[in-house]
Amino acid sequence: MKKELKSNFLWGGAISNVQAEGGILEGNRGENVYDQLQVVPEFGQTSQGNTNIASNHYFQFKEDIDLMKKMGFRAYRLSIEWSRIHPKGDEETPNEDGLKYYDEMINYLLKNNIEPIVSLVHFDMPAFLSKKYNGFLNPKVISFYLRHVEQVVTHFKNRVTYWITYNEINTAPFDNMSYLVAGSKRPSGMSKMQFFHDIFYNTERASSLAINRIRELSPKAKISGMITVNEVHAKRNNSLDRFAAHLKNEFNVTLFGDLMCKGYYSAFYTKFLDLNGIDYSNDDLSVNKIAAENMDFLSVSCYQTRVIESNVSPTDIKQINKIIFEVPDEPNPELGASHWGWTIDPIGFREELNQLYNQYKKPLFVVENGIGLQEGKTTEETINDYPRIEYHKKYIKNMMDAINLDGVDVLGYLIWSPIDILSSHKEMKKRYGFIYISPMQNKKMKRIPKKSFFWYQKLIKENGAIVYEK
Ligand code: BG6
């Protein structure tokens, strides 16, 4: 069997800048939703990281890029923080300090022959837009986002080819993520279903308009929307669990993939809207249709799979709503999991890549994959991150099997994350990095390569082949 990848396969890593930069008052930056997020403690969480410090990437990004270069990165995904470029969000012109900061970062990447992959919104909506308009729940915010996209793309288009319009857009309409991902909170009195639909339609419209505009501004650009995929499986081998898993996947992933890559609502979704009495007769999907053609590849983040046990019979819309919005999915008891209960399922990852490629026929780009490990009692312990190597070895092997055995087209693979950064719950003890970030001392945070750093360096050098070593 051929065990190699194309020589231009994009190995690298990804971060979201709000989780890494710190320096929240520097360069006339505005406050954003991540700064203001009230964290609901995640299982195992003991303390909250400081967003003003984070990994001090704002001041130490050159050291970080030097280390990424050393690891052999061919690509690096960053986000240009919306609130650094448009501090309140409704400004007509961009903040020059913000542009200058990312100029330096992107120039430094290019100097090091690392391809920048730029996300245009990743947990960084200006807090002002969230407060005044309730984020993307108000369609007016689409025009502010579009202006931001246009100005960023116009400024960087000669240096940036790869654009991701919206991080994990498929989490935006769910109550527990809508504030961080879309800047919106469900108003009292609005049903979950109506809220879901309004956020779904508005964010997908924003992303599609952005894709179409980027295509006009930069014909050579490679443009993508992005979803996260945590496939849900039946916990028991019975039909209720299987159907519940089907409904969850339909709602978590398929609706979004269909609209993004094909430009339409599925029959399942229109029936769901009809039965819930939600009027969609004025929804204009023509921009989504054009965007589906303009989109060059589909970006995905994959970390875990889940299982569901359900005793609810899906025989009317109330029960269907109940399964979708209330019956919880959970870690798979038959497989191992991270300390935070994220099921480790490398073959499940291969299956997800197969499904997405077969359904959407777009090349895939794995723009996030990683494991959060609990911080050790000593630095030494944290640096000896062998479980991380095990995790990535299995996931990468399964991705390569998807490519070499199943015919899936994958453009690249980015680890989450090159350096330790705050988690989405602002947690530093949940460490994802291949490079350890120490606590702050004399205005500096030390960068120390972990064991995984040297492993990934070798992996990139050998274009993946080491995953087949015993
Ligand atoms: C993805 C996000 O959902 O998962 C990242 O795009 C996030 O921003 C990553 O950090 C890992 O999740 P968490 O909650 O452990 O930080």
Side-chain angles (χ1 to χ4, degrees), residues 15-16 19 42 77 122-123 167-168 171 177 180 226 228 301 303 340 342 368 372 416 421-427 430 432:
I15 66 162
S16 105
Q19 292 168 253
E42 199 186 13
R77 174 179 171 221
H122 195 146
F123 304 168
N167 182 67
E168 296 186 344
T171 59
M177 293 301 288
L180 189 57
M226 182 196 168
T228 186
S301 67
Y303 290 86
W340 282 267
W342 292 30
E368 277 184 42
W416 188 272
I421 61 176
L422 295 175
S423 75
S424 65
H425 289 65
K426 300 183 172 176
E427 176 54 70
K430 186 182 193 183
Y432 279 95

Coordinates of all heavy atoms in Angstrom, one line a residue, residues 15-16 19 42 77 122-123 167-168 171 177 180 226 228 301 303 340 342 368 372 416 421-427 430 432, ligand 1:
I15 N -4.1 28.1 15.8 CA -4.6 28.7 17.0 C -5.7 29.7 16.7 O -6.0 30.0 15.6 CB -3.5 29.5 17.8 CG1 -3.1 30.8 17.0 CG2 -2.3 28.7 18.2 CD1 -2.3 31.8 17.9
S16 N -6.4 30.1 17.8 CA -7.3 31.3 17.6 C -6.6 32.4 18.4 O -6.2 32.2 19.6 CB -8.7 31.0 18.1 OG -8.9 31.6 19.4
Q19 N -7.3 33.5 22.1 CA -7.0 32.5 23.1 C -5.5 32.5 23.4 O -5.0 31.9 24.3 CB -7.4 31.1 22.7 CG -8.9 30.9 22.7 CD -9.4 29.6 22.1 OE1 -9.9 29.6 20.9 NE2 -9.2 28.5 22.7
E42 N -16.0 24.0 33.2 CA -16.0 22.8 32.5 C -15.5 21.7 33.5 O -14.7 22.0 34.4 CB -15.1 22.9 31.3 CG -15.3 21.9 30.3 CD -14.2 21.9 29.2 OE1 -13.2 22.6 29.3 OE2 -14.5 21.3 28.1
R77 N -2.4 28.3 10.9 CA -3.8 29.0 10.9 C -3.8 29.9 12.1 O -3.6 29.5 13.2 CB -4.9 27.9 11.0 CG -6.2 28.5 11.2 CD -7.3 27.4 11.3 NE -8.6 28.1 11.6 CZ -9.4 27.5 12.5 NH1 -9.2 26.4 13.1 NH2 -10.5 28.2 12.8
H122 N -13.2 34.2 14.8 CA -13.0 33.0 15.7 C -13.1 33.6 17.2 O -12.1 34.0 17.8 CB -11.6 32.5 15.5 CG -11.4 31.1 16.1 ND1 -10.6 30.1 15.6 CD2 -11.9 30.5 17.3 CE1 -10.6 29.0 16.3 NE2 -11.4 29.3 17.4
F123 N -14.3 33.6 17.7 CA -14.6 34.0 19.1 C -14.2 35.5 19.3 O -13.9 35.8 20.5 CB -13.9 33.1 20.1 CG -14.1 31.6 20.0 CD1 -13.3 30.8 20.8 CD2 -15.1 31.1 19.3 CE1 -13.5 29.4 20.7 CE2 -15.3 29.7 19.2 CZ -14.5 28.9 20.0
N167 N -15.2 30.4 12.0 CA -14.9 29.2 12.8 C -16.1 28.5 13.3 O -16.9 29.1 14.0 CB -14.0 29.6 14.0 CG -13.5 28.4 14.8 OD1 -12.7 27.6 14.3 ND2 -14.0 28.3 16.0
E168 N -16.1 27.2 13.0 CA -17.1 26.3 13.6 C -18.5 26.9 13.6 O -19.2 27.0 14.6 CB -16.7 25.8 15.0 CG -15.4 25.0 15.0 CD -15.0 24.4 16.3 OE1 -15.5 24.9 17.4 OE2 -14.2 23.5 16.4
T171 N -21.7 25.5 15.4 CA -22.0 25.6 16.9 C -22.8 26.9 17.2 O -23.3 27.0 18.3 CB -20.7 25.6 17.7 OG1 -19.9 26.7 17.3 CG2 -20.0 24.3 17.5
M177 N -23.4 27.9 23.0 CA -22.2 28.4 22.2 C -22.5 29.7 21.5 O -21.6 30.4 21.0 CB -21.8 27.4 21.2 CG -21.2 26.1 21.7 SD -19.7 26.4 22.7 CE -18.5 26.9 21.5
L180 N -20.5 33.1 22.4 CA -19.1 33.1 22.0 C -18.9 33.0 20.4 O -18.0 33.7 19.9 CB -18.4 31.8 22.6 CG -16.9 31.7 22.5 CD1 -16.2 32.9 23.1 CD2 -16.4 30.4 23.2
M226 N -16.2 26.6 7.5 CA -15.7 25.6 8.5 C -16.8 25.0 9.4 O -17.6 25.8 9.9 CB -14.6 26.2 9.3 CG -14.0 25.3 10.3 SD -13.0 26.1 11.5 CE -12.8 24.7 12.7
T228 N -17.3 22.0 12.8 CA -16.7 21.0 13.6 C -17.5 19.7 13.6 O -18.7 19.8 13.4 CB -16.6 21.5 15.1 OG1 -15.8 20.5 15.9 CG2 -17.9 21.7 15.8
S301 N -12.8 20.8 12.0 CA -12.1 20.5 13.2 C -12.7 19.2 13.8 O -14.0 19.0 13.7 CB -12.3 21.6 14.2 OG -13.6 21.7 14.7
Y303 N -12.2 16.3 17.0 CA -11.5 16.0 18.3 C -12.0 14.6 18.8 O -11.2 13.9 19.4 CB -11.7 17.0 19.3 CG -11.1 18.4 19.1 CD1 -11.7 19.3 18.3 CD2 -9.8 18.6 19.6 CE1 -11.1 20.6 18.0 CE2 -9.2 19.9 19.4 CZ -9.8 20.8 18.6 OH -9.2 22.0 18.4
W340 N -11.0 15.4 30.2 CA -12.3 16.2 30.1 C -13.4 15.4 29.4 O -14.4 16.0 29.0 CB -12.0 17.5 29.3 CG -11.3 18.5 30.2 CD1 -11.9 19.5 30.9 CD2 -9.9 18.7 30.4 NE1 -11.0 20.2 31.6 CE2 -9.8 19.7 31.3 CE3 -8.8 18.0 30.0 CZ2 -8.5 20.1 31.8 CZ3 -7.6 18.4 30.5 CH2 -7.4 19.4 31.4
W342 N -13.4 13.8 26.5 CA -13.5 13.8 25.1 C -13.0 12.4 24.6 O -11.8 12.1 24.7 CB -12.6 14.9 24.5 CG -13.1 16.3 24.8 CD1 -13.8 16.7 25.9 CD2 -13.0 17.5 24.0 NE1 -14.1 18.0 25.9 CE2 -13.6 18.6 24.7 CE3 -12.4 17.8 22.8 CZ2 -13.6 19.9 24.3 CZ3 -12.4 19.1 22.3 CH2 -13.1 20.1 23.0
E368 N -8.1 21.6 12.6 CA -7.9 21.5 14.1 C -8.0 20.1 14.4 O -9.0 19.4 14.1 CB -9.0 22.2 14.8 CG -8.8 23.7 15.0 CD -9.9 24.3 15.9 OE1 -10.3 23.7 16.9 OE2 -10.4 25.4 15.5
G372 N -6.5 17.9 24.8 CA -6.2 18.7 26.0 C -5.8 17.8 27.1 O -6.5 16.9 27.5
W416 N -3.9 21.3 16.8 CA -4.4 22.2 17.8 C -3.7 21.8 19.1 O -4.0 20.8 19.7 CB -5.9 22.2 18.0 CG -6.4 23.3 18.9 CD1 -6.5 23.2 20.2 CD2 -6.8 24.6 18.5 NE1 -7.0 24.4 20.7 CE2 -7.2 25.3 19.6 CE3 -6.9 25.2 17.2 CZ2 -7.7 26.6 19.6 CZ3 -7.4 26.5 17.2 CH2 -7.8 27.2 18.3
I421 N -2.3 27.3 24.8 CA -3.2 28.6 24.8 C -4.4 28.3 25.7 O -4.6 27.2 26.2 CB -3.6 28.9 23.4 CG1 -4.5 27.8 22.8 CG2 -2.5 29.2 22.5 CD1 -5.1 28.2 21.4
L422 N -5.1 29.4 26.0 CA -6.3 29.2 26.8 C -7.3 28.4 26.1 O -7.4 28.5 24.8 CB -6.9 30.6 27.1 CG -6.1 31.6 28.0 CD1 -6.8 32.9 28.1 CD2 -5.9 31.0 29.4
S423 N -8.1 27.6 26.8 CA -9.1 26.8 26.1 C -10.3 27.8 25.9 O -10.3 28.9 26.3 CB -9.6 25.7 27.0 OG -10.4 26.2 28.1
S424 N -11.3 27.2 25.2 CA -12.5 28.0 24.9 C -13.2 28.5 26.2 O -13.9 29.4 26.3 CB -13.5 27.3 24.0 OG -14.0 26.1 24.7
H425 N -12.9 27.7 27.3 CA -13.4 28.1 28.6 C -12.4 28.8 29.4 O -12.4 28.8 30.7 CB -13.8 26.8 29.4 CG -15.1 26.1 28.9 ND1 -15.1 25.6 27.6 CD2 -16.3 26.0 29.4 CE1 -16.3 25.1 27.5 NE2 -17.1 25.3 28.5
K426 N -11.4 29.4 28.8 CA -10.4 30.3 29.4 C -9.5 29.5 30.3 O -9.1 30.1 31.4 CB -11.0 31.5 30.1 CG -11.8 32.4 29.2 CD -12.3 33.6 30.0 CE -13.0 34.6 29.1 NZ -13.6 35.7 29.8
E427 N -9.3 28.3 30.1 CA -8.5 27.4 31.0 C -7.1 27.1 30.5 O -7.0 26.7 29.3 CB -9.3 26.1 31.1 CG -8.7 25.0 32.0 CD -8.3 25.6 33.3 OE1 -9.2 25.8 34.1 OE2 -7.1 25.8 33.6
K430 N -5.8 23.1 30.9 CA -6.1 22.1 29.8 C -5.2 22.4 28.7 O -5.4 23.3 27.8 CB -7.6 22.4 29.4 CG -8.1 21.3 28.4 CD -9.5 21.7 28.0 CE -10.2 20.6 27.3 NZ -11.6 20.9 26.9
Y432 N -3.0 22.1 25.3 CA -3.0 21.5 24.0 C -1.7 21.6 23.3 O -1.5 21.0 22.2 CB -4.1 22.2 23.1 CG -5.5 21.8 23.4 CD1 -6.3 22.5 24.2 CD2 -6.0 20.7 22.7 CE1 -7.7 22.1 24.4 CE2 -7.4 20.3 22.9 CZ -8.2 21.0 23.7 OH -9.5 20.7 23.9
Ligands
BG6_1 C1 -12.5 24.2 18.9 C2 -12.3 25.7 18.8 O1 -13.8 24.0 19.1 O2 -11.9 23.5 19.9 C3 -11.1 26.2 19.6 O3 -12.3 26.2 17.5 C4 -11.0 25.5 20.9 O4 -11.1 27.6 19.7 C5 -10.8 24.0 20.6 O5 -10.1 25.9 21.8 C6 -10.6 23.1 21.8 O6 -11.7 23.2 22.7 P1 -11.5 23.6 24.2 O7 -12.9 23.9 24.6 O8 -10.9 22.5 24.9 O9 -10.6 24.8 24.2

